[in-house]
Amino acid sequence: MLEQIITKEVISPIFIVIIAILFYSFIKKVVIKMFRASSKFGVHKKSMTIMNLIINIIKYIIILVALLAMLNVWGVDTKALVASLGIAGVVAGLALQDLLKDLLAGFSIIIDDEYDVGDNIKIGTFRGDVIELGLKNTKIRAYSGEVMTISNRNVNEVINYSTHASKCIIDISVAYEAEVEEVENVLTQVCEKLSKSTPYLLSDVELLGVQELDDSAVVFRLVADCEPLKDIEFKRAVNRMVKITFDENNVTIPYPQVVVHNE
């Protein structure tokens, strides 16, 4: 009789724990192998986040099943317990529905690859770098230092500036007195110099020609593709190169002037 009690009360739960640990280890290895073998995910940090999330979910499911099995061995009515947990889960779900929405939205953001830590994004009118991405909140730091924390359920529309190449469009104003062909030759030199000296360009700089006849200037347009988030840096490089080259070739950049007539 004592041996039966020991077997039921002690050995069986230990056996359940061992089986649960072995099963978890096996499933974990399978999941890791699947992610490593998948060319779609590779070794990207986002795939590691998804993989760890799946492993944790599996772990908690196994723990829950093992606990129910152990309680069943000890004579606890697990059916009634599961029913009670179901009712409690419904009540908790109603009370914590905003939290659940955040968790589901966070999981969706990770799975859909909307953005990741380090990406430069814009949500609403706020733009900055993602410094933290969790299942509940996202934290974004603006260029000027402000940090915005937003619940994932409120992330409805996102503009991600880090996923694709930036299209750089630069307009250069020239005085009406300058010859168009001369300006085009000078800007062609600028395009060639920038195409050779700028490492983050994904295409050659192209002169499209006269874009607009402004009130006080002829506007020429340059375009190029560059690496994500390099557009502002590239515009600075273009402005510097244009100023130097225009000075060398006596091309006038228009600026406001006031003419005073004395009678």
Side-chain angles (χ1 to χ4, degrees):
M1 185 68 179
L2 181 61
E3 291 180 357
Q4 292 180 349
I5 294 175
I6 293 175
T7 301
K8 182 179 180 180
E9 302 293 337
V10 180
I11 297 179
S12 294
I14 293 175
F15 182 73
I16 291 172
V17 171
I18 293 173
I19 293 297
I21 293 173
L22 293 176
F23 184 69
Y24 169 72
S25 299
F26 172 75
I27 295 296
K28 182 178 179 181
K29 289 180 181 179
V30 170
V31 172
I32 293 174
K33 186 175 181 180
M34 288 174 59
F35 271 82
R36 287 180 177 176
S38 173
S39 58
K40 178 180 178 181
F41 292 102
V43 293
H44 194 268
K45 55 185 177 181
K46 193 178 295 297
S47 71
M48 298 300 296
T49 302
I50 298 172
M51 183 184 70
N52 291 331
L53 184 61
I54 293 174
I55 290 174
N56 284 330
I57 291 174
I58 293 173
K59 178 177 70 175
Y60 292 126
I61 291 175
I62 293 174
I63 290 174
L64 179 60
V65 172
L67 286 174
L68 290 174
M70 292 169 62
L71 290 173
N72 189 54
V73 168
W74 289 332
V76 178
D77 187 359
T78 54
K79 292 182 180 179
L81 181 61
V82 170
S84 300
L85 290 175
I87 296 173
V90 172
V91 175
L94 293 174
L96 302 174
Q97 54 181 325
D98 286 344
L99 176 60
L100 294 176
K101 288 179 182 178
D102 286 335
L103 298 179
L104 291 174
F107 188 77
S108 177
I109 290 170
I110 295 173
I111 292 296
D112 292 341
D113 199 18
E114 293 186 27
Y115 52 84
D116 198 3
V117 174
D119 287 353
N120 186 270
I121 67 173
K122 184 177 181 180
I123 299 177
T125 59
F126 195 90
R127 178 176 177 179
D129 296 328
V130 180
I131 59 175
E132 185 176 321
L133 170 57
L135 289 178
K136 186 179 184 302
N137 297 318
T138 294
K139 290 185 179 181
I140 311 170
R141 181 171 56 210
Y143 178 76
S144 52
E146 299 93 344
V147 175
M148 180 181 74
T149 301
I150 181 170
S151 298
N152 289 331
R153 69 179 184 277
N154 295 325
V155 179
N156 298 318
E157 296 182 358
V158 181
I159 299 175
N160 194 329
Y161 296 95
S162 301
T163 54
H164 300 288
S166 297
K167 173 68 73 174
C168 302
I169 302 175
I170 302 99
D171 289 336
I172 306 297
S173 297
V174 179
Y176 271 101
E177 292 75 16
E179 294 288 339
V180 172
E181 292 184 355
E182 180 185 354
V183 175
E184 288 179 340
N185 290 333
V186 173
L187 288 176
T188 299
Q189 297 177 29
V190 171
C191 292
E192 292 175 352
K193 292 178 182 178
L194 289 169
S195 298
K196 293 178 181 178
S197 63
T198 311
Y200 47 79
L201 283 181
L202 303 177
S203 68
D204 290 337
V205 187
E206 181 182 0
L207 170 63
L208 297 185
V210 178
Q211 176 66 23
E212 185 179 356
L213 298 177
D214 204 355
D215 292 339
S216 59
V218 180
V219 181
F220 292 81
R221 174 159 291 184
L222 309 181
V223 296
D225 293 330
C226 63
E227 295 176 2
L229 306 180
K230 291 291 186 178
D231 52 325
I232 297 176
E233 181 178 346
F234 180 63
K235 288 180 180 179
R236 295 193 189 102
V238 171
N239 289 333
R240 183 177 185 276
M241 184 67 71
V242 166
K243 181 64 170 66
I244 292 173
T245 309
F246 275 15
D247 289 346
E248 293 174 349
N249 293 271
N250 298 318
V251 177
T252 304
I253 298 175
Y255 56 90
Q257 301 182 52
V258 177
V259 179
V260 180
H261 299 279
N262 293 322
E263 296 183 358

